[in-house]
Amino acid sequence: MTTTSIDHRATPLPAGTKAPDFELPSRPDRTVSLAEFRGQPVILAFYPEDWSPVCSDQMALYQEVLPEFQKFNAELLGISVDGVWSHLAFAKDRNLHFPLLADFEPKGKVARAYHVYRARDGTSERALYVIDADGIVRWSHVSPVGVNPGADGILRALENLGKEGAS
Amino acid sequence: MSTTRWKAVLTMPVNKGRDHIQGPADAAVTLVEYGDYECPYCGAAYPIIKAVQARMGRRLRFVFRNFPITTSHPHAEQAAEAAEAAATQDKFWQMHDLIYENQRRLRDQDLRAYAEKLGLDVERFDKELAEHVHAERIHEDFLSGVRSGVNGTPTFYINGARHDGSYELEPLLRALDPAGASERGTR
């Protein structure tokens, strides 16, 4: 990946790294931890903020593609530094039916653990992780903040998990 | 600007037997749009595509594929099914145009009125919509888009490569003009 002077994208944790565990609230009365999905692939979609136009398109796209992710038994988790009430309102407004995790306090702790925190902006990068059933990072990608990365990279990574698992 | 490590290219080639195509098969340039009938950006692109077609004439082949984002656009799927139902009666483009020209009126009764206006066999149209006969094809379009790197609507492909630039008239024309591109020869 190229990095230019105007583009200070972070370098995410590479494939093969053990995915840092976390426990974050998804609703006022519920928390979600990475460990609870051991045994199935997890897609972590870090995005900068609720409500910003690109995020919305990206999350709406993932909602639409969710059945394809589920064919791989994969769990999709959105993560941003917004609080749970913002997430709730955002999910309701956009018809999102997958967990949005609040990396809110301490702010950006999980984004930092995954090397995708943008200290300058106080938000995370727009970053994708595919983690396998054993909790190992199998694919990671950081997009420019303004660019919706789409879903093809995720699907390709999920397919490759199957191939690796079979061999 | 290349922003991903993989190249976003059209994974399902244009197929005369299945795609909705305007313009000659041997046109110099093929423009494929993945679009959603209820998406306002696609609505804004609609007259631009018409203008591009008028300017380029037979040098351009235009293909439309469905990419309804139903979580944001509750009428997008039904509108896509209406256009596909019109296609089975050889009126795809007429319905496509009517829908984009009336984007705010996409309720079932509106779509039915467009079918009547186009002189379709409305009984057959109703039946196909009620039974979602065309849903599978629309989903095929959608998935082919996802696999090709569609990340929102509209997404355009020029000769198979995703066009990440502007789709305002002049920039789009510059991107489509093969003579301009090859004569410059700087890349």
Side-chain angles (χ1 to χ4, degrees):
Chain A
M1 204 183 312
T2 54
T3 308
T4 64
S5 56
I6 50 162
D7 179 9
H8 299 285
R9 266 183 278 163
T11 305
L13 298 174
T17 314
K18 185 179 182 302
D21 202 8
F22 58 78
E23 184 166 356
L24 288 175
S26 61
R27 304 176 63 90
D29 56 349
R30 163 137 167 75
T31 61
V32 169
S33 73
L34 181 62
E36 68 191 81
F37 303 111
R38 199 56 46 86
Q40 67 179 115
V42 174
I43 304 154
L44 292 184
F46 287 93
Y47 62 98
E49 288 164 280
D50 290 342
W51 308 107
S52 77
V54 172
C55 298
S56 319
D57 289 343
Q58 187 188 358
M59 295 303 132
L61 176 67
Y62 290 176
Q63 177 64 45
E64 204 74 36
V65 182
L66 199 54
E68 299 306 312
F69 297 154
Q70 287 166 345
K71 285 181 187 165
F72 296 92
N73 192 31
E75 183 74 23
L76 170 64
L77 303 173
I79 304 185
S80 79
V81 296
D82 298 279
V84 284
W85 296 105
S86 176
H87 277 340
L88 271 185
F90 180 60
K92 185 170 181 229
D93 186 72
R94 304 297 154 93
N95 277 316
L96 304 178
H97 301 286
F98 55 88
L100 299 179
L101 309 186
D103 194 10
F104 181 71
E105 180 57 38
K107 189 181 179 192
K109 184 184 172 197
V110 175
R112 288 173 211 267
Y114 280 81
H115 294 191
V116 292
Y117 190 67
R118 293 167 69 88
R120 214 171 37 155
D121 301 323
T123 66
S124 74
E125 296 277 359
R126 190 175 301 285
L128 298 171
Y129 276 90
V130 170
I131 297 166
D132 71 12
D134 300 321
I136 307 296
V137 172
R138 287 299 173 199
W139 180 75
S140 58
H141 174 76
V142 174
S143 294
V145 163
V147 174
N148 175 349
D152 52 326
I154 297 172
L155 288 170
R156 210 168 309 172
L158 291 171
E159 275 169 5
N160 286 338
L161 288 185
K163 283 174 202 157
E164 285 159 17
S167 63
Chain B
M1 179 177 59
S2 171
T3 53
T4 51
R5 278 176 291 175
W6 61 91
K7 268 183 78 170
V9 295
L10 201 60
T11 54
M12 184 167 79
V14 174
N15 178 336
K16 214 175 80 176
R18 113 178 254 297
D19 277 312
H20 303 301
I21 303 173
Q22 286 180 323
D26 62 352
V29 192
T30 296
L31 175 66
V32 175
E33 175 182 357
Y34 280 91
D36 169 317
Y37 284 109
E38 201 174 359
C39 157
Y41 300 102
C42 300
Y46 168 76
I48 295 170
I49 300 301
K50 290 285 183 209
V52 166
Q53 289 180 297
R55 285 268 200 114
M56 293 186 64
R58 296 186 61 76
R59 289 188 294 129
L60 178 71
R61 176 169 69 151
F62 175 60
V63 179
F64 182 88
R65 289 179 177 167
N66 297 291
F67 202 85
I69 300 191
T70 56
T71 46
S72 314
H73 303 136
H75 303 100
E77 171 70 22
Q78 195 74 348
E81 291 189 22
E84 293 300 330
T88 63
Q89 301 187 45
D90 297 324
K91 292 270 173 73
F92 173 78
W93 290 105
Q94 291 89 331
M95 183 62 93
H96 170 275
D97 291 1
L98 260 182
I99 291 173
Y100 273 126
E101 286 159 18
N102 297 278
Q103 242 195 335
R104 288 169 183 276
R105 289 182 293 276
L106 300 180
R107 296 166 306 171
D108 291 358
Q109 61 265 43
D110 298 319
L111 297 169
R112 190 170 199 276
Y114 306 148
E116 277 171 2
K117 189 171 173 182
L118 293 174
L120 299 186
D121 173 345
V122 177
E123 204 173 311
R124 179 177 166 193
F125 176 88
D126 283 345
K127 187 167 184 288
E128 290 182 2
L129 261 63
E131 293 173 1
H132 299 290
V133 171
H134 303 291
E136 193 179 324
R137 180 235 157 81
I138 292 163
H139 193 61
E140 269 173 28
D141 277 5
F142 177 82
L143 284 184
S144 77
V146 169
R147 299 316 300 251
S148 305
V150 169
N151 54 10
T153 52
T155 293
F156 293 101
Y157 293 80
I158 298 176
N159 289 341
R162 192 174 69 193
H163 171 64
D164 289 336
S166 162
Y167 50 86
E168 292 295 328
L169 179 59
E170 289 303 329
L172 186 57
L173 274 171
R174 277 197 294 276
L176 286 165
D177 183 358
S182 60
E183 278 164 18
R184 260 176 251 130
T186 49
R187 291 183 202 213

